[in-house]
Amino acid sequence: RDAIVGAMLGINVIQLGLIVAVAHSDSHGETAVTELQFMMLALAVTGLVLGMVVAEMRDASAALNESESRLRAIVSTAPDSIITVDQQGYIVATNPAAAQVFDYATRDMIGKPVIEMLPEFESVALIGEVCELTGVRSSGARFPVEISVGTTKNRVPELRIAVTRDITRRKAMECQLDEKQAEVNRSARLAAAF
C-alpha cells in the first residue's frame, strides 16, 4: 500500500515537472523535458522502493511483536520456574512460577545473587545438564529442585537461563516407594525362612 502511494506521488510530481518544463522551455526544450522526465522517473522509482521498504519494516515489526507476545505468554504461564541470570550472577528476570517456588515477590528477586536461591548454580551452569540440587526459599527452608541451565549465545552480554522444578513431592514419593520395597523384601525373606 505504501509503495503504491509512493508511486502515485512520484507520478504527480512527474506531471507537475512536465508542466513546468513545457511552460519554461527554451530553445533546447526537448532536451530539458527529457532530462526532467528521467529525473521524475527516478523520483517515482525511489518513492516506490521506499514504500516497499516501509511496508516490509512494518510487517517485520508486527511479526516481532507477535512473537514476543507469544513468548511472554509461554513464559508467564509455564509451571516451571524460569530465572534469567547475568554474567555476574545476579537475577535480571523471573517468571511468576519462580516467585511462587522460591516464595518471593518477583520484584524482590530481581537484583539478588542467584546463589542465595540456588547455591550450586555456578557449578550446574558449567555442566550444562539437568541436575538435582538444593534450592532455598525466602524463609531459608531448603528443598530439592531439578535444574537445567542454558545460555544466550548471540547476545552480548551473555545471559544464563535457569529452568527449575520443585521436586519435593517426587522425592517424598520415591522415599515411600523405597520404604514399601524394603518392606516387601523383608516379608519375602521371612516367608522364605519358614
Side-chain angles (χ1 to χ4, degrees), residues 26-79:
D26 57 2
S27 61
H28 304 293
E30 275 190 37
T31 307
V33 170
T34 305
E35 288 174 1
L36 187 62
Q37 285 174 330
F38 279 123
M39 202 166 57
M40 294 301 132
L41 180 61
L43 186 60
V45 170
T46 302
L48 183 64
V49 170
L50 284 175
M52 290 175 15
V53 168
V54 168
E56 284 184 33
M57 286 180 62
R58 187 176 47 236
D59 291 346
S61 178
L64 180 63
N65 287 341
E66 182 181 326
S67 175
E68 187 177 297
S69 176
R70 188 174 34 253
L71 180 62
R72 194 176 301 118
I74 290 168
V75 169
S76 67
T77 60

mmCIF file of all heavy atoms in Angstrom, residues 26-79:
data_model
loop_
_atom_site.group_PDB
_atom_site.id
_atom_site.type_symbol
_atom_site.label_atom_id
_atom_site.label_comp_id
_atom_site.label_asym_id
_atom_site.label_seq_id
_atom_site.Cartn_x
_atom_site.Cartn_y
_atom_site.Cartn_z
ATOM 1 N N ASP A 26 13.192 26.468 -23.253
ATOM 2 C CA ASP A 26 13.963 27.407 -24.086
ATOM 3 C C ASP A 26 14.188 26.777 -25.449
ATOM 4 O O ASP A 26 13.448 25.885 -25.850
ATOM 5 C CB ASP A 26 15.278 27.772 -23.394
ATOM 6 C CG ASP A 26 16.114 26.555 -23.073
ATOM 7 O OD1 ASP A 26 15.687 25.430 -23.425
ATOM 8 O OD2 ASP A 26 17.186 26.699 -22.482
ATOM 9 N N SER A 27 15.200 27.180 -26.123
ATOM 10 C CA SER A 27 15.452 26.655 -27.464
ATOM 11 C C SER A 27 15.768 25.165 -27.440
ATOM 12 O O SER A 27 15.619 24.482 -28.429
ATOM 13 C CB SER A 27 16.606 27.419 -28.119
ATOM 14 O OG SER A 27 17.782 27.258 -27.341
ATOM 15 N N HIS A 28 16.226 24.665 -26.315
ATOM 16 C CA HIS A 28 16.504 23.230 -26.186
ATOM 17 C C HIS A 28 15.387 22.562 -25.383
ATOM 18 O O HIS A 28 15.635 21.751 -24.518
ATOM 19 C CB HIS A 28 17.837 23.003 -25.487
ATOM 20 C CG HIS A 28 18.995 23.678 -26.160
ATOM 21 N ND1 HIS A 28 19.439 23.297 -27.389
ATOM 22 C CD2 HIS A 28 19.764 24.729 -25.778
ATOM 23 C CE1 HIS A 28 20.458 24.066 -27.736
ATOM 24 N NE2 HIS A 28 20.666 24.957 -26.763
ATOM 25 N N GLY A 29 14.188 22.909 -25.659
ATOM 26 C CA GLY A 29 13.020 22.456 -24.906
ATOM 27 C C GLY A 29 12.901 20.951 -24.818
ATOM 28 O O GLY A 29 12.584 20.405 -23.781
ATOM 29 N N GLU A 30 13.136 20.255 -25.904
ATOM 30 C CA GLU A 30 13.011 18.803 -25.889
ATOM 31 C C GLU A 30 14.014 18.163 -24.959
ATOM 32 O O GLU A 30 13.706 17.238 -24.224
ATOM 33 C CB GLU A 30 13.181 18.246 -27.307
ATOM 34 C CG GLU A 30 11.904 18.267 -28.085
ATOM 35 C CD GLU A 30 12.031 17.506 -29.387
ATOM 36 O OE1 GLU A 30 12.712 16.466 -29.416
ATOM 37 O OE2 GLU A 30 11.442 17.952 -30.358
ATOM 38 N N THR A 31 15.235 18.642 -24.969
ATOM 39 C CA THR A 31 16.275 18.083 -24.112
ATOM 40 C C THR A 31 15.933 18.312 -22.648
ATOM 41 O O THR A 31 16.064 17.426 -21.820
ATOM 42 C CB THR A 31 17.648 18.703 -24.424
ATOM 43 O OG1 THR A 31 17.885 18.564 -25.810
ATOM 44 C CG2 THR A 31 18.736 18.049 -23.640
ATOM 45 N N ALA A 32 15.480 19.514 -22.312
ATOM 46 C CA ALA A 32 15.129 19.836 -20.927
ATOM 47 C C ALA A 32 13.989 18.951 -20.452
ATOM 48 O O ALA A 32 13.998 18.465 -19.316
ATOM 49 C CB ALA A 32 14.769 21.304 -20.794
ATOM 50 N N VAL A 33 12.978 18.728 -21.297
ATOM 51 C CA VAL A 33 11.853 17.880 -20.921
ATOM 52 C C VAL A 33 12.327 16.451 -20.722
ATOM 53 O O VAL A 33 11.958 15.791 -19.750
ATOM 54 C CB VAL A 33 10.738 17.960 -21.980
ATOM 55 C CG1 VAL A 33 9.664 16.908 -21.726
ATOM 56 C CG2 VAL A 33 10.110 19.340 -21.989
ATOM 57 N N THR A 34 13.171 15.935 -21.587
ATOM 58 C CA THR A 34 13.668 14.570 -21.477
ATOM 59 C C THR A 34 14.470 14.382 -20.189
ATOM 60 O O THR A 34 14.281 13.399 -19.469
ATOM 61 C CB THR A 34 14.534 14.200 -22.694
ATOM 62 O OG1 THR A 34 13.775 14.433 -23.869
ATOM 63 C CG2 THR A 34 14.951 12.754 -22.642
ATOM 64 N N GLU A 35 15.359 15.310 -19.872
ATOM 65 C CA GLU A 35 16.139 15.213 -18.637
ATOM 66 C C GLU A 35 15.232 15.259 -17.419
ATOM 67 O O GLU A 35 15.421 14.505 -16.461
ATOM 68 C CB GLU A 35 17.160 16.355 -18.567
ATOM 69 C CG GLU A 35 18.303 16.204 -19.538
ATOM 70 C CD GLU A 35 19.221 17.427 -19.548
ATOM 71 O OE1 GLU A 35 18.962 18.375 -18.781
ATOM 72 O OE2 GLU A 35 20.169 17.411 -20.317
ATOM 73 N N LEU A 36 14.240 16.129 -17.476
ATOM 74 C CA LEU A 36 13.302 16.240 -16.369
ATOM 75 C C LEU A 36 12.478 14.969 -16.238
ATOM 76 O O LEU A 36 12.210 14.509 -15.124
ATOM 77 C CB LEU A 36 12.397 17.456 -16.572
ATOM 78 C CG LEU A 36 11.484 17.771 -15.390
ATOM 79 C CD1 LEU A 36 12.317 18.116 -14.155
ATOM 80 C CD2 LEU A 36 10.557 18.914 -15.732
ATOM 81 N N GLN A 37 12.106 14.365 -17.369
ATOM 82 C CA GLN A 37 11.343 13.122 -17.318
ATOM 83 C C GLN A 37 12.155 12.018 -16.631
ATOM 84 O O GLN A 37 11.639 11.278 -15.802
ATOM 85 C CB GLN A 37 10.951 12.683 -18.728
ATOM 86 C CG GLN A 37 9.830 13.491 -19.322
ATOM 87 C CD GLN A 37 9.573 13.109 -20.769
ATOM 88 O OE1 GLN A 37 10.485 12.696 -21.479
ATOM 89 N NE2 GLN A 37 8.330 13.280 -21.198
ATOM 90 N N PHE A 38 13.444 11.910 -16.969
ATOM 91 C CA PHE A 38 14.290 10.906 -16.333
ATOM 92 C C PHE A 38 14.432 11.175 -14.832
ATOM 93 O O PHE A 38 14.392 10.271 -14.013
ATOM 94 C CB PHE A 38 15.677 10.853 -16.990
ATOM 95 C CG PHE A 38 15.696 10.064 -18.254
ATOM 96 C CD1 PHE A 38 16.134 10.642 -19.432
ATOM 97 C CD2 PHE A 38 15.273 8.745 -18.282
ATOM 98 C CE1 PHE A 38 16.149 9.919 -20.615
ATOM 99 C CE2 PHE A 38 15.284 8.024 -19.454
ATOM 100 C CZ PHE A 38 15.724 8.601 -20.630
ATOM 101 N N MET A 39 14.570 12.445 -14.477
ATOM 102 C CA MET A 39 14.695 12.804 -13.078
ATOM 103 C C MET A 39 13.406 12.466 -12.323
ATOM 104 O O MET A 39 13.440 11.913 -11.225
ATOM 105 C CB MET A 39 14.996 14.304 -12.962
ATOM 106 C CG MET A 39 15.650 14.672 -11.669
ATOM 107 S SD MET A 39 16.369 16.317 -11.685
ATOM 108 C CE MET A 39 15.006 17.348 -12.102
ATOM 109 N N MET A 40 12.274 12.756 -12.932
ATOM 110 C CA MET A 40 10.992 12.472 -12.290
ATOM 111 C C MET A 40 10.740 10.961 -12.209
ATOM 112 O O MET A 40 10.194 10.460 -11.234
ATOM 113 C CB MET A 40 9.854 13.158 -13.043
ATOM 114 C CG MET A 40 9.894 14.672 -12.981
ATOM 115 S SD MET A 40 9.812 15.220 -11.285
ATOM 116 C CE MET A 40 11.129 16.394 -11.281
ATOM 117 N N LEU A 41 11.166 10.233 -13.232
ATOM 118 C CA LEU A 41 11.036 8.778 -13.210
ATOM 119 C C LEU A 41 11.871 8.196 -12.071
ATOM 120 O O LEU A 41 11.414 7.312 -11.335
ATOM 121 C CB LEU A 41 11.469 8.184 -14.558
ATOM 122 C CG LEU A 41 11.375 6.660 -14.662
ATOM 123 C CD1 LEU A 41 9.940 6.206 -14.469
ATOM 124 C CD2 LEU A 41 11.922 6.190 -15.989
ATOM 125 N N ALA A 42 13.079 8.711 -11.925
ATOM 126 C CA ALA A 42 13.936 8.257 -10.825
ATOM 127 C C ALA A 42 13.279 8.550 -9.485
ATOM 128 O O ALA A 42 13.325 7.725 -8.555
ATOM 129 C CB ALA A 42 15.304 8.929 -10.916
ATOM 130 N N LEU A 43 12.644 9.690 -9.357
ATOM 131 C CA LEU A 43 11.953 10.058 -8.129
ATOM 132 C C LEU A 43 10.782 9.112 -7.863
ATOM 133 O O LEU A 43 10.565 8.678 -6.740
ATOM 134 C CB LEU A 43 11.473 11.505 -8.207
ATOM 135 C CG LEU A 43 10.847 12.071 -6.943
ATOM 136 C CD1 LEU A 43 11.831 12.050 -5.790
ATOM 137 C CD2 LEU A 43 10.367 13.488 -7.185
ATOM 138 N N ALA A 44 10.052 8.762 -8.914
ATOM 139 C CA ALA A 44 8.911 7.846 -8.766
ATOM 140 C C ALA A 44 9.380 6.465 -8.327
ATOM 141 O O ALA A 44 8.785 5.846 -7.440
ATOM 142 C CB ALA A 44 8.142 7.753 -10.073
ATOM 143 N N VAL A 45 10.459 5.980 -8.934
ATOM 144 C CA VAL A 45 11.001 4.667 -8.560
ATOM 145 C C VAL A 45 11.485 4.699 -7.114
ATOM 146 O O VAL A 45 11.263 3.764 -6.344
ATOM 147 C CB VAL A 45 12.132 4.247 -9.528
ATOM 148 C CG1 VAL A 45 12.859 3.025 -9.016
ATOM 149 C CG2 VAL A 45 11.545 3.991 -10.907
ATOM 150 N N THR A 46 12.140 5.799 -6.719
ATOM 151 C CA THR A 46 12.605 5.938 -5.340
ATOM 152 C C THR A 46 11.427 5.895 -4.373
ATOM 153 O O THR A 46 11.480 5.225 -3.340
ATOM 154 C CB THR A 46 13.391 7.259 -5.162
ATOM 155 O OG1 THR A 46 14.481 7.267 -6.073
ATOM 156 C CG2 THR A 46 13.889 7.422 -3.749
ATOM 157 N N GLY A 47 10.341 6.582 -4.710
ATOM 158 C CA GLY A 47 9.142 6.554 -3.874
ATOM 159 C C GLY A 47 8.572 5.159 -3.768
ATOM 160 O O GLY A 47 8.154 4.722 -2.696
ATOM 161 N N LEU A 48 8.571 4.422 -4.868
ATOM 162 C CA LEU A 48 8.079 3.048 -4.884
ATOM 163 C C LEU A 48 8.927 2.160 -3.985
ATOM 164 O O LEU A 48 8.410 1.406 -3.162
ATOM 165 C CB LEU A 48 8.075 2.524 -6.321
ATOM 166 C CG LEU A 48 7.530 1.126 -6.547
ATOM 167 C CD1 LEU A 48 6.061 1.073 -6.194
ATOM 168 C CD2 LEU A 48 7.740 0.714 -7.990
ATOM 169 N N VAL A 49 10.245 2.267 -4.125
ATOM 170 C CA VAL A 49 11.156 1.449 -3.317
ATOM 171 C C VAL A 49 11.027 1.799 -1.835
ATOM 172 O O VAL A 49 10.962 0.916 -0.980
ATOM 173 C CB VAL A 49 12.619 1.604 -3.807
ATOM 174 C CG1 VAL A 49 13.593 0.975 -2.838
ATOM 175 C CG2 VAL A 49 12.769 0.996 -5.187
ATOM 176 N N LEU A 50 10.987 3.093 -1.523
ATOM 177 C CA LEU A 50 10.836 3.497 -0.124
ATOM 178 C C LEU A 50 9.529 2.985 0.461
ATOM 179 O O LEU A 50 9.488 2.545 1.608
ATOM 180 C CB LEU A 50 10.919 5.021 0.005
ATOM 181 C CG LEU A 50 12.308 5.621 -0.098
ATOM 182 C CD1 LEU A 50 12.228 7.142 -0.078
ATOM 183 C CD2 LEU A 50 13.200 5.129 1.012
ATOM 184 N N GLY A 51 8.478 3.025 -0.315
ATOM 185 C CA GLY A 51 7.193 2.500 0.146
ATOM 186 C C GLY A 51 7.273 1.017 0.443
ATOM 187 O O GLY A 51 6.719 0.536 1.442
ATOM 188 N N MET A 52 7.964 0.273 -0.418
ATOM 189 C CA MET A 52 8.122 -1.171 -0.192
ATOM 190 C C MET A 52 8.945 -1.439 1.067
ATOM 191 O O MET A 52 8.628 -2.334 1.853
ATOM 192 C CB MET A 52 8.763 -1.824 -1.419
ATOM 193 C CG MET A 52 7.832 -1.858 -2.610
ATOM 194 S SD MET A 52 8.492 -2.471 -4.193
ATOM 195 C CE MET A 52 9.982 -3.274 -3.845
ATOM 196 N N VAL A 53 10.006 -0.658 1.263
ATOM 197 C CA VAL A 53 10.856 -0.832 2.454
ATOM 198 C C VAL A 53 10.055 -0.550 3.720
ATOM 199 O O VAL A 53 10.127 -1.299 4.696
ATOM 200 C CB VAL A 53 12.112 0.078 2.369
ATOM 201 C CG1 VAL A 53 12.837 0.138 3.690
ATOM 202 C CG2 VAL A 53 13.034 -0.407 1.270
ATOM 203 N N VAL A 54 9.277 0.522 3.714
ATOM 204 C CA VAL A 54 8.449 0.861 4.879
ATOM 205 C C VAL A 54 7.446 -0.252 5.158
ATOM 206 O O VAL A 54 7.248 -0.643 6.315
ATOM 207 C CB VAL A 54 7.740 2.219 4.662
ATOM 208 C CG1 VAL A 54 6.660 2.447 5.696
ATOM 209 C CG2 VAL A 54 8.752 3.349 4.691
ATOM 210 N N ALA A 55 6.839 -0.787 4.114
ATOM 211 C CA ALA A 55 5.866 -1.870 4.285
ATOM 212 C C ALA A 55 6.538 -3.115 4.872
ATOM 213 O O ALA A 55 5.992 -3.743 5.780
ATOM 214 C CB ALA A 55 5.201 -2.198 2.948
ATOM 215 N N GLU A 56 7.720 -3.461 4.381
ATOM 216 C CA GLU A 56 8.444 -4.624 4.909
ATOM 217 C C GLU A 56 8.835 -4.416 6.360
ATOM 218 O O GLU A 56 8.748 -5.336 7.176
ATOM 219 C CB GLU A 56 9.684 -4.909 4.066
ATOM 220 C CG GLU A 56 9.381 -5.580 2.750
ATOM 221 C CD GLU A 56 10.639 -5.933 1.975
ATOM 222 O OE1 GLU A 56 11.657 -6.252 2.609
ATOM 223 O OE2 GLU A 56 10.582 -5.878 0.745
ATOM 224 N N MET A 57 9.286 -3.212 6.698
ATOM 225 C CA MET A 57 9.673 -2.932 8.083
ATOM 226 C C MET A 57 8.463 -3.031 9.007
ATOM 227 O O MET A 57 8.563 -3.564 10.112
ATOM 228 C CB MET A 57 10.323 -1.550 8.187
ATOM 229 C CG MET A 57 11.727 -1.506 7.617
ATOM 230 S SD MET A 57 12.500 0.109 7.731
ATOM 231 C CE MET A 57 12.571 0.363 9.484
ATOM 232 N N ARG A 58 7.321 -2.530 8.555
ATOM 233 C CA ARG A 58 6.115 -2.605 9.372
ATOM 234 C C ARG A 58 5.699 -4.061 9.567
ATOM 235 O O ARG A 58 5.331 -4.474 10.665
ATOM 236 C CB ARG A 58 4.998 -1.793 8.736
ATOM 237 C CG ARG A 58 3.776 -1.710 9.645
ATOM 238 C CD ARG A 58 2.649 -0.845 9.129
ATOM 239 N NE ARG A 58 2.332 -1.112 7.745
ATOM 240 C CZ ARG A 58 2.341 -0.189 6.785
ATOM 241 N NH1 ARG A 58 2.655 1.046 7.067
ATOM 242 N NH2 ARG A 58 2.048 -0.506 5.543
ATOM 243 N N ASP A 59 5.768 -4.875 8.512
ATOM 244 C CA ASP A 59 5.425 -6.291 8.619
ATOM 245 C C ASP A 59 6.384 -7.016 9.561
ATOM 246 O O ASP A 59 5.963 -7.837 10.382
ATOM 247 C CB ASP A 59 5.441 -6.960 7.240
ATOM 248 C CG ASP A 59 4.313 -6.473 6.338
ATOM 249 O OD1 ASP A 59 3.375 -5.829 6.849
ATOM 250 O OD2 ASP A 59 4.381 -6.746 5.123
ATOM 251 N N ALA A 60 7.683 -6.719 9.454
ATOM 252 C CA ALA A 60 8.671 -7.347 10.330
ATOM 253 C C ALA A 60 8.440 -6.946 11.780
ATOM 254 O O ALA A 60 8.540 -7.779 12.689
ATOM 255 C CB ALA A 60 10.083 -6.968 9.891
ATOM 256 N N SER A 61 8.120 -5.686 12.003
ATOM 257 C CA SER A 61 7.847 -5.212 13.355
ATOM 258 C C SER A 61 6.610 -5.893 13.934
ATOM 259 O O SER A 61 6.608 -6.295 15.104
ATOM 260 C CB SER A 61 7.661 -3.692 13.342
ATOM 261 O OG SER A 61 7.359 -3.221 14.620
ATOM 262 N N ALA A 62 5.583 -6.058 13.130
ATOM 263 C CA ALA A 62 4.366 -6.733 13.593
ATOM 264 C C ALA A 62 4.656 -8.191 13.915
ATOM 265 O O ALA A 62 4.183 -8.718 14.932
ATOM 266 C CB ALA A 62 3.269 -6.635 12.525
ATOM 267 N N ALA A 63 5.452 -8.867 13.084
ATOM 268 C CA ALA A 63 5.812 -10.266 13.343
ATOM 269 C C ALA A 63 6.632 -10.384 14.624
ATOM 270 O O ALA A 63 6.431 -11.304 15.421
ATOM 271 C CB ALA A 63 6.585 -10.838 12.157
ATOM 272 N N LEU A 64 7.562 -9.453 14.838
ATOM 273 C CA LEU A 64 8.373 -9.456 16.051
ATOM 274 C C LEU A 64 7.501 -9.239 17.283
ATOM 275 O O LEU A 64 7.657 -9.937 18.290
ATOM 276 C CB LEU A 64 9.459 -8.380 15.969
ATOM 277 C CG LEU A 64 10.384 -8.272 17.170
ATOM 278 C CD1 LEU A 64 11.185 -9.553 17.352
ATOM 279 C CD2 LEU A 64 11.324 -7.091 17.001
ATOM 280 N N ASN A 65 6.576 -8.294 17.214
ATOM 281 C CA ASN A 65 5.670 -8.046 18.339
ATOM 282 C C ASN A 65 4.818 -9.268 18.648
ATOM 283 O O ASN A 65 4.602 -9.603 19.810
ATOM 284 C CB ASN A 65 4.777 -6.837 18.052
ATOM 285 C CG ASN A 65 5.533 -5.537 18.135
ATOM 286 O OD1 ASN A 65 6.605 -5.462 18.724
ATOM 287 N ND2 ASN A 65 4.979 -4.499 17.527
ATOM 288 N N GLU A 66 4.339 -9.934 17.603
ATOM 289 C CA GLU A 66 3.525 -11.135 17.796
ATOM 290 C C GLU A 66 4.344 -12.248 18.434
ATOM 291 O O GLU A 66 3.892 -12.915 19.365
ATOM 292 C CB GLU A 66 2.956 -11.602 16.455
ATOM 293 C CG GLU A 66 2.067 -12.819 16.573
ATOM 294 C CD GLU A 66 1.533 -13.268 15.225
ATOM 295 O OE1 GLU A 66 1.273 -12.409 14.363
ATOM 296 O OE2 GLU A 66 1.389 -14.493 15.041
ATOM 297 N N SER A 67 5.571 -12.433 17.952
ATOM 298 C CA SER A 67 6.455 -13.458 18.502
ATOM 299 C C SER A 67 6.785 -13.164 19.962
ATOM 300 O O SER A 67 6.774 -14.061 20.814
ATOM 301 C CB SER A 67 7.736 -13.527 17.670
ATOM 302 O OG SER A 67 8.647 -14.417 18.238
ATOM 303 N N GLU A 68 7.072 -11.906 20.262
ATOM 304 C CA GLU A 68 7.390 -11.515 21.634
ATOM 305 C C GLU A 68 6.189 -11.727 22.552
ATOM 306 O O GLU A 68 6.328 -12.204 23.682
ATOM 307 C CB GLU A 68 7.824 -10.049 21.657
ATOM 308 C CG GLU A 68 8.332 -9.592 22.997
ATOM 309 C CD GLU A 68 8.825 -8.163 22.941
ATOM 310 O OE1 GLU A 68 9.787 -7.894 22.208
ATOM 311 O OE2 GLU A 68 8.224 -7.326 23.645
ATOM 312 N N SER A 69 5.012 -11.415 22.067
ATOM 313 C CA SER A 69 3.792 -11.599 22.851
ATOM 314 C C SER A 69 3.555 -13.078 23.139
ATOM 315 O O SER A 69 3.191 -13.466 24.253
ATOM 316 C CB SER A 69 2.605 -11.004 22.098
ATOM 317 O OG SER A 69 1.419 -11.239 22.782
ATOM 318 N N ARG A 70 3.778 -13.917 22.132
ATOM 319 C CA ARG A 70 3.601 -15.361 22.295
ATOM 320 C C ARG A 70 4.599 -15.911 23.308
ATOM 321 O O ARG A 70 4.248 -16.681 24.207
ATOM 322 C CB ARG A 70 3.761 -16.042 20.926
ATOM 323 C CG ARG A 70 3.411 -17.490 20.909
ATOM 324 C CD ARG A 70 3.430 -18.127 19.510
ATOM 325 N NE ARG A 70 4.404 -17.618 18.585
ATOM 326 C CZ ARG A 70 4.132 -16.846 17.535
ATOM 327 N NH1 ARG A 70 2.897 -16.495 17.279
ATOM 328 N NH2 ARG A 70 5.088 -16.436 16.726
ATOM 329 N N LEU A 71 5.862 -15.474 23.205
ATOM 330 C CA LEU A 71 6.899 -15.923 24.140
ATOM 331 C C LEU A 71 6.580 -15.459 25.562
ATOM 332 O O LEU A 71 6.729 -16.217 26.519
ATOM 333 C CB LEU A 71 8.272 -15.403 23.710
ATOM 334 C CG LEU A 71 9.442 -15.803 24.602
ATOM 335 C CD1 LEU A 71 9.605 -17.315 24.631
ATOM 336 C CD2 LEU A 71 10.722 -15.142 24.105
ATOM 337 N N ARG A 72 6.126 -14.226 25.712
ATOM 338 C CA ARG A 72 5.761 -13.699 27.032
ATOM 339 C C ARG A 72 4.648 -14.544 27.644
ATOM 340 O O ARG A 72 4.672 -14.852 28.840
ATOM 341 C CB ARG A 72 5.339 -12.242 26.916
ATOM 342 C CG ARG A 72 5.267 -11.529 28.239
ATOM 343 C CD ARG A 72 4.942 -10.045 28.119
ATOM 344 N NE ARG A 72 5.929 -9.340 27.314
ATOM 345 C CZ ARG A 72 5.663 -8.715 26.164
ATOM 346 N NH1 ARG A 72 4.443 -8.705 25.684
ATOM 347 N NH2 ARG A 72 6.600 -8.094 25.494
ATOM 348 N N ALA A 73 3.659 -14.930 26.839
ATOM 349 C CA ALA A 73 2.554 -15.753 27.334
ATOM 350 C C ALA A 73 3.052 -17.128 27.771
ATOM 351 O O ALA A 73 2.631 -17.639 28.810
ATOM 352 C CB ALA A 73 1.478 -15.894 26.259
ATOM 353 N N ILE A 74 3.956 -17.710 27.001
ATOM 354 C CA ILE A 74 4.504 -19.026 27.352
ATOM 355 C C ILE A 74 5.265 -18.951 28.665
ATOM 356 O O ILE A 74 5.061 -19.760 29.576
ATOM 357 C CB ILE A 74 5.413 -19.556 26.224
ATOM 358 C CG1 ILE A 74 4.575 -19.920 24.997
ATOM 359 C CG2 ILE A 74 6.225 -20.758 26.690
ATOM 360 C CD1 ILE A 74 5.390 -20.173 23.738
ATOM 361 N N VAL A 75 6.158 -17.974 28.788
ATOM 362 C CA VAL A 75 6.994 -17.848 29.990
ATOM 363 C C VAL A 75 6.132 -17.550 31.216
ATOM 364 O O VAL A 75 6.351 -18.104 32.286
ATOM 365 C CB VAL A 75 8.078 -16.769 29.785
ATOM 366 C CG1 VAL A 75 8.771 -16.427 31.086
ATOM 367 C CG2 VAL A 75 9.092 -17.250 28.756
ATOM 368 N N SER A 76 5.151 -16.681 31.060
ATOM 369 C CA SER A 76 4.358 -16.290 32.225
ATOM 370 C C SER A 76 3.409 -17.392 32.695
ATOM 371 O O SER A 76 2.998 -17.382 33.849
ATOM 372 C CB SER A 76 3.579 -15.002 31.956
ATOM 373 O OG SER A 76 2.601 -15.216 30.981
ATOM 374 N N THR A 77 3.070 -18.337 31.829
ATOM 375 C CA THR A 77 2.163 -19.420 32.227
ATOM 376 C C THR A 77 2.874 -20.750 32.452
ATOM 377 O O THR A 77 2.232 -21.719 32.830
ATOM 378 C CB THR A 77 1.057 -19.619 31.173
ATOM 379 O OG1 THR A 77 1.658 -19.943 29.922
ATOM 380 C CG2 THR A 77 0.191 -18.391 31.044
ATOM 381 N N ALA A 78 4.185 -20.792 32.251
ATOM 382 C CA ALA A 78 4.937 -22.036 32.446
ATOM 383 C C ALA A 78 4.864 -22.464 33.906
ATOM 384 O O ALA A 78 5.007 -21.638 34.808
ATOM 385 C CB ALA A 78 6.395 -21.836 32.033
ATOM 386 N N PRO A 79 4.657 -23.754 34.156
ATOM 387 C CA PRO A 79 4.595 -24.217 35.546
ATOM 388 C C PRO A 79 5.977 -24.287 36.207
ATOM 389 O O PRO A 79 6.076 -24.308 37.422
ATOM 390 C CB PRO A 79 3.976 -25.610 35.425
ATOM 391 C CG PRO A 79 4.320 -26.053 34.043
ATOM 392 C CD PRO A 79 4.379 -24.820 33.199
#
